[in-house]
Amino acid sequence: MQALSAYHTVFQNYLTENDFSYEPKELYEPVNYILGIGGKRLRPLLALMGCELFSKNINRALPIAMAVEVFHNFTLLHDDIMDDAPLRRGKPTVHVKYNINTGILSGDVMLILAYHFLQSTEGSVTMTHKLWAIFNKMAREVCDGQQMDMNFESRNDVTLSEYIKMIELKTSVLIAAAFEMGAVAGGASLKQAAPLYEFGKNVGIAFQIQDDLLDTFGDPATFGKKVGGDIVQNKKTFLVLKTFELANSAQKTALTILMATPTHDELAKITAVRTIFEALNVQQHAERAMDDYLQLAFAALDETTLSGAKKTYLKEWANELNMRRK
């Protein structure tokens, strides 16, 4: 198995060779813009990694890697419009740099382009049918998760189990599907690939809980985003929902008031909410949940027919991905 940097280089070269210098430029320039402002490229790398588990030729998974990366950025583009977000990865969002109508239409064409790349994957009719089925299921579930997230904004009775289901759909299924589709492109049967889907799904849930944790307790120098942003935006994260599970009536009332009050002093609000979190050791609960989902991921991995060396590689990768809190 290759180092992640090697997968990244292969994919980045493919992305450069397949840029969207089409006409009308007003439609495609925003596509190149959002794809060009960086990101971890986690999902396309997983497609290549999944392929190499079953084949030495990872190039056969490059169209799949491109499809999932274009699809992922399509969802980000439209999410930014729905959230009225001014920045993405430190740069102006597409609808801010251009305009909302351009953002909507460029996002639409990105979804179509994702299917275009998926369709260009070489393989048997049976294999391509498998890929389409996985991709279509994932795409619908991502939309389901986004709607759940939007519903949560107006609800005060969201449970932790509902939240976990939402992040599974909105975030984890794309990670899982990228891994599974890469494996299928490499020659795996659906029976062989299914445990890898479960592995990716549970790693993805752990990764999102970690993101919630870092947003409040992370180091601003290494996190890459503004710490405390979720608190300022009154987001119902793992930390908030776990607090409501553990808190006494006074703590629940205090947190409810803080989340319902317009933010005038961001630092004071972040400090007050963090104080409640710390009193209930919510950070430790989040870390324990992360570890629980990693163990579920490793249990799924043990169900695969992969060699011991490949299982070890994947476990080390998952642990490294979820070590940013250390």
Side-chain angles (χ1 to χ4, degrees):
M1 299 294 293
Q2 301 182 47
L4 285 180
S5 58
Y7 295 125
H8 192 280
T9 298
V10 171
F11 177 72
Q12 193 62 43
N13 289 339
Y14 187 79
L15 181 63
T16 301
E17 293 166 0
N18 291 273
D19 71 341
F20 302 103
S21 300
Y22 306 147
E23 294 290 339
K25 68 177 184 179
E26 293 81 4
L27 175 63
Y28 294 101
E29 184 180 302
V31 177
N32 281 325
Y33 173 74
I34 192 170
L35 287 170
I37 60 176
K40 294 179 287 293
R41 311 289 191 205
L42 173 62
R43 293 148 192 86
L45 301 193
L46 288 181
L48 300 182
M49 187 190 300
C51 182
E52 194 176 21
L53 292 172
F54 297 92
S55 171
K56 293 180 180 179
N57 181 15
I58 65 171
N59 289 341
R60 61 198 304 175
L62 279 169
I64 295 169
M66 189 71 162
V68 296
E69 183 68 355
V70 172
F71 178 85
H72 174 57
N73 280 273
F74 144 71
T75 66
L76 298 181
L77 195 161
H78 277 188
D79 284 359
D80 287 340
I81 293 172
M82 286 184 270
D83 295 341
D84 196 22
L87 297 174
R88 165 68 59 184
R89 299 164 187 152
K91 299 291 182 68
T93 47
V94 168
H95 69 279
V96 170
K97 182 175 175 65
Y98 301 94
N99 56 65
I100 290 179
N101 287 344
T102 295
I104 293 171
L105 191 58
S106 293
D108 291 345
V109 82
M110 289 180 76
L111 177 58
I112 297 165
L113 290 168
Y115 279 103
H116 165 77
F117 278 97
L118 184 65
Q119 185 180 22
S120 68
T121 307
E122 294 183 2
S124 67
V125 173
T126 300
M127 188 198 79
T128 54
H129 281 176
K130 292 176 184 176
L131 293 177
W132 280 83
I134 297 167
F135 192 91
N136 285 337
K137 175 177 178 291
M138 173 275 296
R140 179 177 175 179
E141 287 177 337
V142 169
C143 293
D144 291 345
Q146 174 66 6
Q147 185 62 56
M148 287 180 69
D149 195 19
M150 293 165 60
N151 292 348
F152 290 174
E153 294 176 7
S154 58
R155 285 181 52 194
N156 294 319
D157 59 347
V158 179
T159 65
L160 196 55
S161 61
E162 286 180 305
Y163 178 74
I164 295 296
K165 184 63 177 178
M166 183 274 290
I167 63 175
E168 175 188 326
L169 295 173
K170 184 175 177 179
T171 301
S172 296
V173 296
L174 182 48
I175 293 173
F179 218 170
E180 184 180 23
M181 287 191 292
V184 169
S189 66
L190 286 180
K191 184 176 181 180
Q192 290 173 311
L196 292 175
Y197 179 92
E198 291 299 313
F199 170 76
K201 182 185 76 175
N202 286 296
V203 169
I205 293 172
F207 185 75
Q208 183 58 53
I209 294 172
Q210 177 187 232
D211 222 49
D212 289 356
L213 185 61
L214 289 173
D215 189 273
T216 297
F217 294 102
D219 180 354
T222 57
F223 181 41
K225 292 189 287 186
K226 177 182 176 181
V227 172
D230 286 348
I231 293 173
V232 172
Q233 296 175 44
N234 300 317
K235 288 190 175 181
K236 296 178 178 72
T237 64
F238 181 95
L239 301 179
V240 168
L241 297 175
K242 191 64 180 179
T243 295
F244 278 120
E245 277 191 0
L246 300 171
N248 59 35
S249 58
Q251 290 166 324
K252 288 180 181 177
T253 299
L255 183 56
T256 300
I257 292 172
L258 284 165
M259 293 186 66
T261 304
T263 304
H264 301 296
D265 186 338
E266 291 187 359
L267 181 59
K269 181 171 184 172
I270 293 168
T271 301
V273 173
R274 278 186 55 149
T275 299
I276 298 172
F277 289 166
E278 290 168 347
L280 296 167
N281 296 315
V282 173
Q283 182 176 359
Q284 287 73 29
H285 284 278
E287 291 179 342
R288 192 174 305 125
M290 284 175 56
D291 291 335
D292 287 345
Y293 280 103
L294 282 179
Q295 292 309 310
L296 287 174
F298 296 157
L301 195 57
D302 288 337
E303 296 298 316
T304 68
T305 57
L306 299 174
S307 68
K310 288 180 178 178
K311 290 178 182 178
T312 299
Y313 176 92
L314 293 175
K315 288 180 180 180
E316 289 177 350
W317 165 77
N319 279 321
E320 183 177 346
L321 185 68
N322 286 279
M323 286 291 284
R324 294 183 298 163
R325 70 189 192 275
K326 301 299 185 182

